[in-house]
Amino acid sequence: MDLNQLRVQLGFTSWNEMQQAAHRLIPQKKDVILLAPTGTGKTLAYLPPLTELLEAGQAGVQVLVLTPSRELALQTEEVWRKMDTGRKVSSFYGGRDLASDKGKLLEPPSLLIGTPGRITDHISRETFSTETIHTIVLDEFDKLLALGFEEELSYIIRSLPGLRQRLLISATNLKEIPAFTGIAAPRILDFTGNQEEINTVGNRLKIQLIQSPEKDKIPVLIRLLCHTGSQPTLIFCNHREAVERTAGLLDKAGIPCAAFHGGMDQETRELTLARFRNGSVHFLVTTDLAGRGLDIPEVQHVIHYHLPHTQEDFVHRNGRTARMFAEGTVWLMLHESETLPGFVSPRPEIITLPANDPLPAPPSWMTIRISGGRKQKISKGDIAGFFMKTGGLAKDELGMIEIKDHCAYASVKKQKAKSLLEKTRNEKMKGRTYKITLAR
């Protein structure tokens, strides 16, 4: 694959230093450990060179990518599809019907992406052959270990008799490499101490401190959001219950937002992320589930409503903004009696918020759900053409479109949503009628 052509295809002006190094090293078929901070584009460091490792004419799964979360598995699959390699990809994860996975294995993908638990289940059931797998990628390896997947990882690696290459990807340095990985003499690409050169945080990230006179920091959070305005913002809480409460109180105060945490079902989580990405909601209240591995571009602000317990989580949360070539602001919220943890150094500037900023302007976009997706052979072009020709939308009234396996999401200008639904009701797209509704 021509990497320069791929770069243009994906909309990048250049590969960063870390990506270039990975592109050179991975095709050499050696074990590689890639260490780089959150937000530096590690997925696009290891995925493109995998195309050179896939053997033409070889049936069966050749490369296995293990991720710590369903969201990262789905995102990695989506990036591979955008690369348009011509090689089949599938992602397997918990919370979905095994029969759906088995259907995809009737013609096994060249690249299989999955979470350790689900892949372990498939291997134990012998639903696909592991003999053709020659390369394994352990993505976000530090997170895989932190979540306790060591036993599953060990079992999976032992089950790959033809394994020749191991790629270990991590956002933090590792004290030691576990023996079960089989990595003995790896080539190491360590960019953890080179953040400014690879355009992550450094001078691009501003950290500021807000003090709350009350332990319940909701009033100060509302003032902060009024101050920052309608820009994409992540608000981190330490517990699911706090996420739900905070999101509910913001809504009640007239600031529309969305909640995101691991207690939500998969479809709700996918819809929530789609709404945040496409501008239908500006504020996402979340646990550390959104701290890494998610494709959430153009986040302007990260707010620590609750400070994280560890430096690692602090770094990952902050890495959601000032990504690649962008700039961003991190806001720390502290009650007057709280002290900053030692990993926040130097002490940020204390900001005094205005008392009379207006409420943030509501989003001008709404998300529409279409009851068909990739499995029904629906493309972004199909939806765009249908919405503009039948639904009467102008080009600038249709925003981001995301295609999932069995549904799709499209953002449209809020003032056009009602008429779009009326005009497309019972109309056929590609010879079939789909249910088209407002997604909330």
Side-chain angles (χ1 to χ4, degrees):
M1 172 171 285
D2 185 323
L3 292 183
N4 284 326
Q5 180 181 344
L6 174 62
R7 172 182 54 76
V8 174
Q9 178 180 322
L10 295 174
F12 293 97
T13 56
S14 63
W15 300 115
N16 64 39
E17 181 185 345
M18 178 266 296
Q19 291 166 338
Q20 292 177 46
H23 295 170
R24 290 191 298 267
L25 188 55
I26 290 174
Q28 296 178 22
K29 301 183 180 180
K30 305 290 186 181
D31 290 346
V32 175
I33 295 177
L34 173 59
L35 306 172
T38 298
T40 55
K42 292 188 290 295
T43 301
L44 284 173
Y46 78 79
L47 274 186
L50 290 182
T51 61
E52 299 186 38
L53 302 177
L54 297 177
E55 300 171 6
Q58 171 67 58
V61 180
Q62 296 187 50
V63 177
L64 175 63
V65 177
L66 296 177
T67 72
S69 69
R70 293 175 286 187
E71 285 77 16
L72 183 53
L74 286 165
Q75 274 185 196
T76 306
E77 178 185 11
E78 188 66 24
V79 173
W80 183 268
R81 293 184 184 280
K82 288 179 181 177
M83 287 167 51
D84 195 21
T85 66
R87 306 302 291 265
K88 187 177 177 183
V89 62
S90 294
S91 60
F92 294 169
Y93 45 85
R96 55 180 289 164
D97 188 6
L98 268 173
S100 176
D101 289 355
K102 290 179 179 178
K104 293 181 178 181
L105 291 170
L106 295 176
E107 295 182 10
S110 298
L111 178 70
L112 178 59
I113 307 164
T115 51
R118 179 50 64 101
I119 297 299
T120 295
D121 194 6
H122 275 288
I123 291 176
S124 65
R125 294 170 183 264
E126 299 182 346
T127 56
F128 69 94
S129 173
T130 61
E131 294 184 359
T132 54
I133 297 176
H134 53 70
T135 302
I136 188 170
V137 181
L138 304 175
D139 197 4
E140 291 203 359
F141 186 68
D142 50 345
K143 186 70 170 180
L144 287 168
L145 294 182
L147 291 175
F149 285 125
E150 185 168 333
E151 184 176 341
E152 289 89 345
L153 297 176
S154 178
Y155 171 78
I156 292 168
I157 292 173
R158 293 197 311 270
S159 302
L160 308 180
L163 190 59
R164 302 193 302 264
Q165 184 175 12
R166 300 160 177 82
L167 307 179
L168 191 155
I169 317 297
S170 178
T172 57
N173 264 310
L174 306 167
K175 294 181 179 179
E176 60 180 354
I177 306 302
F180 71 78
T181 63
I183 296 176
R187 306 289 184 88
I188 299 176
L189 296 174
D190 186 354
F191 287 85
T192 55
N194 196 19
Q195 293 189 5
E196 188 170 350
E197 285 188 25
I198 52 179
N199 304 303
T200 55
V201 287
N203 295 330
R204 298 178 181 276
L205 182 67
K206 183 187 297 184
I207 300 181
Q208 299 185 322
L209 176 61
I210 303 293
Q211 289 189 323
S212 171
E214 301 176 358
K215 288 190 175 180
D216 188 345
K217 294 177 278 191
I218 289 294
V220 176
L221 176 60
I222 292 172
R223 285 172 58 193
L224 175 56
L225 296 180
C226 291
H227 177 63
T228 58
S230 300
Q231 300 184 67
T233 301
L234 288 174
I235 303 165
F236 281 99
C237 300
N238 286 344
H239 308 287
R240 297 175 183 176
E241 295 77 11
V243 167
E244 294 288 352
R245 175 181 182 272
T246 303
L249 290 173
L250 289 179
D251 274 327
K252 190 174 181 180
I255 303 178
C257 63
F260 183 78
H261 56 72
M264 303 163 68
D265 65 73
Q266 182 64 23
E267 184 172 354
T268 301
R269 283 155 66 175
E270 288 184 7
L271 170 58
T272 300
L273 289 179
R275 292 179 63 218
F276 187 63
R277 279 192 288 258
N278 68 29
S280 294
V281 63
H282 297 312
F283 308 111
L284 186 65
V285 188
T286 179
T287 60
D288 282 310
L289 180 62
R292 62 161 86 185
L294 297 181
D295 180 17
I296 310 176
E298 300 180 2
V299 173
Q300 298 295 315
H301 301 278
V302 166
I303 299 174
H304 297 271
Y305 185 79
H306 294 143
L307 283 179
H309 299 301
T310 68
Q311 181 177 10
E312 181 181 355
D313 287 335
F314 184 65
V315 170
H316 287 308
R317 287 182 181 185
N318 295 348
R320 306 319 303 170
T321 188
R323 296 173 70 84
M324 299 298 283
F325 303 100
E327 297 181 353
T329 304
V330 167
W331 302 85
L332 312 181
M333 298 188 64
L334 285 183
H335 178 248
E336 292 176 343
S337 66
E338 292 180 286
T339 57
L340 282 174
F343 54 75
V344 181
S345 180
R347 183 181 178 87
E349 176 188 3
I350 298 177
I351 301 298
T352 300
L353 296 172
N356 55 357
D357 282 327
L359 288 173
S364 60
W365 297 91
M366 299 188 79
T367 299
I368 302 297
R369 184 184 187 277
I370 302 97
S371 66
R374 193 175 293 115
K375 294 297 183 181
Q376 289 74 39
K377 309 294 185 184
I378 292 178
S379 69
K380 293 181 181 181
D382 294 329
I383 294 173
F386 181 61
F387 278 9
M388 287 189 280
K389 183 177 180 180
T390 305
L393 293 184
K395 188 175 181 179
D396 61 356
E397 294 169 340
L398 177 62
M400 181 183 293
I401 300 173
E402 293 190 32
I403 307 292
K404 305 300 180 182
D405 275 352
H406 297 287
C407 69
Y409 303 114
S411 59
V412 303
K413 285 295 186 180
K414 186 177 294 185
Q415 68 270 23
K416 290 291 183 175
K418 183 177 179 181
S419 64
L420 172 73
L421 295 178
E422 291 174 349
K423 290 178 180 178
T424 56
R425 186 180 296 117
N426 299 323
E427 296 292 336
K428 292 184 177 181
M429 177 171 58
K430 294 188 70 175
R432 179 175 172 181
T433 302
Y434 293 95
K435 187 176 181 180
I436 300 175
T437 56
L438 185 63
R440 298 183 183 277

